[in-house]
Amino acid sequence: MKDLIQNLPKAELHLHIEGTLEPELMFRLAKKNSIKIPYKTIEEVKEAYSFNSLQSFLDIYYAGANVLIEEQDFFDLTWAYLLTCKAQNIVHTEIMFDPQTHTNRGIKFKTVINGITKALYRAKKELEISSFLIMSFLRHLTQEEAFKTLKDAEPFKDKILAVGLDSSELGNPPSKFEKVFKEAKKQGYKLVAHAGEEGDTSYIWDTLNLLHVDRIDHGIRCDEDEKLLEYLKENKIPLTVCPLSNVKLKAVKSMKNHNILKLLKYGLHVTVNSDDPACFGGYLNENYEALVNELGATKEDIEKLVKNSFEDSFL
Ligand code: ADE
Ligand code: ZN
């Protein structure tokens, strides 16, 4: 099964580029850019990566991103992930980036996007990996700040395919971003949003009904509402599920409790993704392997999930 997972060409649809920052690169960039980080060793970073909720993770995650300053840093970050894609036989990836994590520290939008897109362009030529970019708004900030980010993106519109919504879900409902999503759709962007990771089913319903997204990121709490399950199935709404992330952030108790295969058998368009692989103990193949080892996923399950990853992509 490990060989099957390795050998199948795969697509990844839910990946935060800031969440691919491995401790080794964090230390190198911290030194180069003279940024203080609260860790002395790689072991200390790994110890800090023990979370009890989404928020406890996000606090550490945003602090880590402080080492990213120059265009070359964003290039190096993205290129390192793309080399892992090559090693794991990921042939297409749809990458999220959070401009506000950087622009709020005084880094220019163009520094971020140029570094990322130069790596994507090189990967297309040298590694034969195709990609799209998803610009995510931070939902703990205001809708006005999201509008400002949409404006910042205007000169780079040809480089960004979709708009997304991430960060702290609880207390930041989809309704807060209804207007900016409407405007993004008008401007021609595809739409995705995190929902039902920690938030209850009302967050998923509102993401569908108010934001009109093409895909739901996570969505695992959908099984708490029979009508919602039916709606997702009927309308073939893709869910980009991230099993190792859900266990690490305690959205589910353990991998054995994960509902991904139940959702798949019910007929939902679920896909497997790594979310923030440097923080959650594995990239895409390790997520698939966990489903085999701990949930008894079969060859047919894996093949269906991989097929979904292409069908639910924006290709
Ligand atoms: N940003 C990075 N990873 C995230 C996640 N799993 N949920 C919400 N926001 C995120
Ligand atoms: Zn995510």
Side-chain angles (χ1 to χ4, degrees):
M1 289 297 272
K2 205 174 153 126
D3 287 346
L4 174 83
I5 291 167
Q6 171 62 36
N7 292 336
L8 281 172
K10 295 164 291 286
E12 174 147 64
L13 309 181
H14 182 160
L15 181 282
H16 302 263
I17 198 64
E18 294 88 352
T20 66
L21 179 59
E22 291 287 348
E24 292 80 359
L25 183 58
M26 189 192 294
F27 280 109
R28 180 170 76 72
L29 295 180
K31 192 163 176 222
K32 173 179 82 72
N33 294 328
S34 307
I35 303 288
K36 276 209 167 66
I37 49 171
Y39 319 107
K40 285 198 201 68
T41 62
I42 287 171
E43 285 64 43
E44 275 184 34
V45 182
K46 299 223 156 118
E47 265 169 44
Y49 287 178
S50 140
F51 315 108
N52 52 36
S53 65
L54 174 57
Q55 194 58 53
S56 68
F57 156 69
L58 290 171
D59 293 341
I60 290 176
Y61 175 74
Y62 295 133
N66 285 341
V67 301
L68 298 160
I69 306 286
E70 297 178 306
E71 184 183 302
Q72 186 67 38
D73 305 344
F74 290 93
F75 178 93
D76 291 351
L77 174 73
T78 310
W79 185 246
Y81 165 65
L82 291 161
L83 289 176
T84 304
C85 286
K86 188 71 187 168
Q88 295 213 342
N89 210 4
I90 298 168
V91 297
H92 176 73
T93 177
E94 303 191 353
I95 297 179
M96 275 180 254
F97 74 116
D98 289 340
Q100 291 158 299
T101 299
H102 314 296
T103 53
N104 283 359
R105 308 180 277 120
I107 311 296
K108 292 209 160 39
F109 191 98
K110 81 163 192 235
T111 303
V112 179
I113 196 154
N114 285 347
I116 295 173
T117 53
K118 279 180 189 171
L120 298 180
Y121 181 73
R122 183 168 161 195
K124 176 88 183 143
K125 275 200 312 189
E126 292 181 18
L127 307 176
E128 296 180 304
I129 295 170
S130 63
S131 58
F132 292 130
L133 210 44
I134 303 172
M135 173 175 78
S136 287
F137 303 128
L138 296 179
R139 66 198 304 161
H140 66 275
L141 302 178
T142 64
Q143 176 163 250
E144 286 62 41
E145 286 164 291
F147 266 112
K148 158 92 176 52
T149 303
L150 194 61
K151 183 101 188 118
D152 286 347
E154 260 172 28
F156 307 98
K157 215 167 152 274
D158 60 324
K159 295 183 162 66
I160 304 168
L161 188 81
V163 153
L165 187 65
D166 62 7
S167 192
S168 326
E169 185 177 14
L170 295 174
N172 296 297
S175 55
K176 189 174 158 185
F177 295 94
E178 199 176 343
K179 291 199 183 92
V180 75
F181 265 65
K182 194 168 176 198
E183 175 58 26
K185 193 178 176 76
K186 203 170 122 198
Q187 291 186 18
Y189 289 103
K190 300 270 187 203
L191 306 175
V192 301
H194 286 53
E197 178 183 18
E198 282 191 340
D200 63 26
T201 52
S202 72
Y203 283 76
I204 305 177
W205 277 121
D206 286 355
T207 298
L208 295 166
N209 293 330
L210 303 179
L211 304 186
H212 305 288
V213 293
D214 298 289
R215 293 198 298 245
I216 296 274
D217 292 319
H218 294 294
I220 53 169
R221 288 191 63 181
C222 65
D223 63 359
E224 295 169 22
D225 179 344
E226 200 59 46
K227 279 213 173 70
L228 179 56
L229 279 173
E230 266 170 47
Y231 182 93
L232 293 169
K233 184 177 173 179
E234 189 91 340
N235 292 284
K236 299 190 175 65
I237 309 281
L239 303 184
T240 63
V241 178
C242 309
L244 287 174
S245 163
N246 297 148
V247 175
K248 271 278 187 183
L249 300 187
K250 306 208 165 37
V252 297
K253 270 207 204 87
S254 72
M255 194 57 82
K256 294 210 166 18
N257 295 87
H258 206 293
N259 61 2
I260 182 167
L261 294 187
K262 286 191 195 122
L263 299 177
L264 183 71
K265 293 213 163 62
Y266 183 80
L268 296 196
H269 262 255
V270 289
T271 60
V272 178
N273 306 275
S274 70
D275 208 8
D276 302 284
C279 313
F280 300 148
Y283 284 77
L284 187 58
N285 286 358
E286 288 78 24
N287 274 272
Y288 279 104
E289 283 166 17
L291 303 190
V292 171
N293 297 336
E294 301 194 51
L295 285 177
T298 62
K299 179 170 180 282
E300 288 68 34
D301 293 333
I302 298 299
E303 286 173 349
K304 177 71 179 146
L305 288 162
V306 170
K307 196 161 168 258
N308 283 354
S309 77
F310 290 98
E311 284 182 2
D312 298 334
S313 75
F314 290 128
L315 281 168

